Amino acid sequence: MKKKYIIAPLGDSAIIIEWEQEISPVIHQRVLNTYHYLRSLQHIYILDLIPAYASLTVIYNARAARYAYDEVIRIVTDALNMSAAEVAVVSRQIEIPVCYDPSLGPDLLAMAEQKSLSVDKIVELHTQTTYTVYMLGFLPGFPYMGTVDDILATPRLKKPRVKIPAGSVGIAGAQTGIYPLDSPGGWNLIGKTPVRMFDAEKEIPCYCQPGDQVRFVPVSLEEFHELNHNRQ
């Protein structure tokens, strides 16, 4: 039977496990199962684990011993050979408030016009889906989530903005995400959340984690400002 993954060296102190390269909940569940199982081992050779859409990078301590690489390969192979039931992980269910007022979502009106939809319909389509957090990247705590309704899929802006406010909710292709910090960016902005997506002072600084199931809950502009004030 052909393996559905490959294991390859990545530099001199990491390996990468790659599954079929596509955005798929089934494939991503394999990534998460392996990620959480390896984390649970707390093995002294494994320094960090970085899950993505269809891959998992394992950073190991190459100086620990001459055979560190071989040992990590053995551990990873054992994990991959375990049954799904042995390594299954229960995902967190998260609701995130979002205000879809055009003053906070500067691309909302243009998107509605481009797709011949009302703003209310855009909001309805964006909030009716439960999204999987596939990975964190680009910025600390930036959750890449998918997938949006086909009607909402929109290419990145041709000219990225120089500064996007933290909390901005955007769409790029079939993905949706939230900017955790003020930064440049090219996603289509349709709203904003008062939730702080990254806080370096917390024990777990990133609000979202890979595998989380996220639903967006629409709030009014008044509710947004109240929630935003209360978090200060």
Side-chain angles (χ1 to χ4, degrees):
M1 181 178 176
K2 185 179 179 181
K3 290 182 179 179
K4 294 185 177 181
Y5 60 84
I6 61 171
I7 305 174
L10 189 65
D12 60 359
S13 58
I15 64 171
I16 186 168
I17 312 162
E18 293 185 301
W19 287 263
E20 299 96 319
Q21 295 299 292
E22 59 182 273
I23 299 178
S24 161
V26 174
I27 293 173
H28 192 247
Q29 191 61 52
R30 296 173 190 158
V31 175
L32 291 178
N33 288 348
T34 308
Y35 164 69
H36 284 289
Y37 176 74
L38 292 176
R39 276 192 63 186
S40 71
L41 296 180
Q42 297 184 327
H43 197 283
I44 58 172
Y45 289 173
I46 297 177
L47 302 179
D48 200 5
L49 297 159
I50 306 172
Y53 281 94
S55 68
L56 177 64
T57 299
V58 181
I59 300 174
Y60 64 92
N61 187 353
R63 298 181 179 180
R66 288 187 301 112
Y67 52 83
Y69 173 81
D70 293 335
E71 173 68 4
V72 171
I73 290 292
R74 182 193 66 76
I75 295 168
V76 167
T77 302
D78 287 347
L80 291 167
N81 287 334
M82 296 179 73
S83 69
E86 291 178 286
V87 295
V89 177
V90 177
S91 300
R92 294 193 308 166
Q93 309 293 316
I94 298 176
E95 290 188 346
I96 296 179
V98 175
C99 178
Y100 293 91
D101 190 272
S103 65
L104 301 177
D107 297 312
L108 184 59
L109 294 178
M111 183 182 293
E113 182 178 357
Q114 175 192 358
K115 299 179 182 299
S116 300
L117 298 172
S118 67
V119 168
D120 288 344
K121 188 61 177 178
I122 296 284
V123 174
E124 177 188 336
L125 291 172
H126 193 248
T127 56
Q128 72 180 9
T129 300
T130 298
Y131 300 99
T132 297
V133 177
Y134 281 99
M135 61 177 283
L136 304 179
F138 168 53
L139 293 168
F142 188 109
Y144 285 81
M145 295 177 277
T147 55
V148 299
D149 188 286
D150 290 343
I151 300 175
L152 294 183
T154 307
R156 286 176 171 82
L157 300 176
K158 292 182 179 180
K159 184 179 180 180
R161 290 183 171 88
V162 174
K163 184 178 180 180
I164 292 175
S168 295
V169 177
I171 291 176
Q175 304 170 110
T176 188
I178 306 172
Y179 285 81
L181 305 168
D182 294 350
S183 77
W187 289 43
N188 301 274
L189 307 181
I190 62 171
K192 191 175 182 182
T193 179
V195 176
R196 183 172 295 174
M197 304 306 295
F198 179 77
D199 187 343
E201 296 183 0
K202 290 188 174 181
E203 182 179 355
I204 301 177
C206 299
Y207 187 81
C208 291
Q209 297 296 319
D212 286 349
Q213 300 295 300
V214 174
R215 286 191 70 92
F216 294 117
V217 179
V219 296
S220 68
L221 187 59
E222 182 181 357
E223 290 172 315
F224 170 84
H225 287 306
E226 183 178 348
L227 291 169
N228 199 41
H229 175 75
N230 290 339
R231 81 169 192 177
Q232 303 301 325

